[in-house]
Amino acid sequence: MSSDKEPVKTICPYCGVGCGIQVQPGDEPGDVQFMPWGDAPVNEGRICIKGGAATEVVDHEDRLTDPLLRDDDGEFREATWDEAYEYIIDELERIRDEYGPDAMGFFASSKVMNEENYLLQKLARRYGTNNVDNCTRMCHASTVWALRTSLGAGAMTNSMRDLREECDLFWIQGANPGEQHPIANSQYFRQAVLDGATVIQVDPHANKTTRSFQIDDTERHQHLQLNPGTDIPLLNIVLKTILEHHEENPEDGWVDEEFIAERTEGFDHLKETLADFDKEAAAEECGLPLEEIELAAEKYATADNAAIFTGMGMSQHACGVDNVQNEINLALITGNLGRAGTGVNPLRGQNNVQGTCDVGAMPNVLPGYQLVDDDEARESVEDVWGFSVPDEPGLTNVEISYEAGDSVKGLYVMGENPVMSEPDANSVADRLADLEFMVVQDIFMTETAEFADVILPATTWAERGGTVTNTDRRVQRMRGVGNVHENTKHDLEIVSEVGKRLFEEKVFDFDDPEVVFEELRQVCPSYHGMTYDLLGEEGLHWPCYELGDEGDPFLYEEEFDTESGLGHIEGVEHTPPAETPDDEYPLILTTARLEEHYNTGTMSTRSPTLNRQTPENFVDVHPEDAERYGIEDGEYVRLKSRRGEITLEAHVTDDTKEGVVWTTPHFAAASANRLTNHVLDERAKIPEYKAAAAEIDVDIEPADRAAGDD
Ligand code: SF4
């Protein structure tokens, strides 16, 4: 393809690292190709397999190109945009009149831009409900909860750049950056480790992160391969080891007494919680020798600058908030917060999951994490919007799905795929089928769209402009090459049009993302100092309160952003997973993502390059378990839980622990989420994807192989 057209600088649509790439338009609208962006601020031209293949789906043959309406006979037919809008408006009005506004749910999307998510949550609130949420509920809701409550902001405390330059010890727990944030791992973390930093990985599964750190000096790499769901006992061993050593050797400074005295509260509670804690029994529960955990504790406590990286292995548990709180405890008692190279750093999944939360697409907060039940904050937003916002938190997306057909009658889905992404997916599909009305706007026919009444064809990431916020709070501009398919529309146009038709008000009269951003910065204090011009090509880290602020690469230098200004320490006790192995389901099932695929697979499984390496799901089985069950490597097995069954290829490997089976959620026919448990963390309402009881059947019919079933 040769073209005289200029490439556009934009951001990779996959993970939260936020790598800059270019899209080169060709002579025809669908001719778009990836081009590197040599001096992109985050990745400096480097790219992983997903970023390099991102343009492959822009003109994919499966693209939705026209609105679809479900006929009386249950089949979809093409419709005009006017017909589709009229149907949507009629149904939204009917549901509000018959059942009230809380009978609707709205799903924003971490795959779309800040401006579009901002408008969707504004639409929900103008409709009269706080039932709006996004996929952070499924990845880091518990992390956001713990960080916001105990430190002040639900985001990475530090930036990738300051970590590369200043961090001496990387404590990576329940995260797999080698696979899920490849450029952050190779360009920032691994570089620091090659320059001498130590890395401690805490994960039940050996993975590309484990292998990427197998550097010459193995003293500097420790992998604590714990049993799934034992992160609290492990961290309590670490905390108690540090406290015990400090009591006998205060001169070593393992505990930062000055930091605790001046900048924290709750230390006594932690000490009380650990007073009778039995380290030996806990180590047994973790499935690890006590000395290995104590050695890791020593390494963390003696590093000059130690940073914690936390991922979904921590957050996706019914005790997810407590898991992350214990990481915060570790950072606070050792004074590893508030300066470069330290902190508690969640590696965010989707390219704009951070921004989707920042702009208020959650049921309990407005833009800038202002609580809906805080009168002063809510009124300040209402003043700008010109309408009232409900003052009670709404339902989360998992709760909305569970209420579908009962208290929730209608659902507006922008770019999400709950039938694939939520736990116990078979019953999610059943419940969505009970809705009276569902609209889905997306780029492909998804497993969720199959249940919709109306489907709106949206443009892809490469076709439109806006902003996204990456994992270290850097807000960056995306730029598009224009519509590939004439009759598709940008999400912003669609939501704006629905708002205008529904309310006949100026409050949704937007046709330009920059104008939306200008309103967003008025109601989101941490974005207030940003404009499109100031974002330029480098972007800006929030918080950026005033025009001219450069944004903070690390947070809390002087004080925490809590009401008292202090960091909150709180001892936590072990809560085992809701399901533990028994006679019927004697294995522990745990799940995670692959480097070459992404979340529900809507884009990545349609990409030839990404599919080539791993075209279907598989399950890792430990050699001892394989021998006991009589499983050969490469054989197809049936994996079962109390919620469903899937058929997939067994990989016999000691990457997983004996008694633990490991698989992925990406492939519709055999998605792990047909098996996962829907039990929720009480506060953050995140599901426990990481631990469920499971069993394997070996005797299956050849016809079932790779077909998947439920
Ligand atoms: Fe895209 Fe993430 Fe890969 Fe960067 S690391 S190219 S943002 S998927």
Side-chain angles (χ1 to χ4, degrees), residues 580-588 640-644 693-695:
T580 48
D582 55 22
D583 289 348
E584 203 181 349
Y585 293 95
L587 300 166
I588 305 174
K640 308 190 296 188
S641 80
R642 290 190 169 83
R643 290 153 294 279
E695 174 60 312

Side-chain angles (χ1 to χ4, degrees), residues 166-169 299-306 334-336 339-342:
E166 303 290 343
C167 182
D168 303 302
L169 181 134
K299 287 177 179 171
Y300 181 89
T302 54
D304 288 338
N305 291 320
T334 53
N336 275 304
R339 60 176 198 280
T342 66

Side-chain angles (χ1 to χ4, degrees), residues 80-92 501:
T80 65
W81 278 97
D82 258 337
E83 273 182 288
Y85 283 136
E86 272 173 32
Y87 183 85
I88 292 166
I89 302 307
D90 286 349
E91 282 299 288
L92 286 171
R501 289 182 183 230

Side-chain angles (χ1 to χ4, degrees), residues 621-632 652:
V621 181
H622 189 271
E624 296 289 337
D625 293 323
E627 195 179 327
R628 206 169 54 250
Y629 282 92
I631 298 169
E632 298 289 330
V652 178

Side-chain angles (χ1 to χ4, degrees), residues 12 14-19 47-48 50-51 181-184:
C12 171
Y14 284 111
C15 90
V17 175
C19 295
I47 209 74
C48 81
K50 283 197 293 287
H181 302 83
I183 296 299

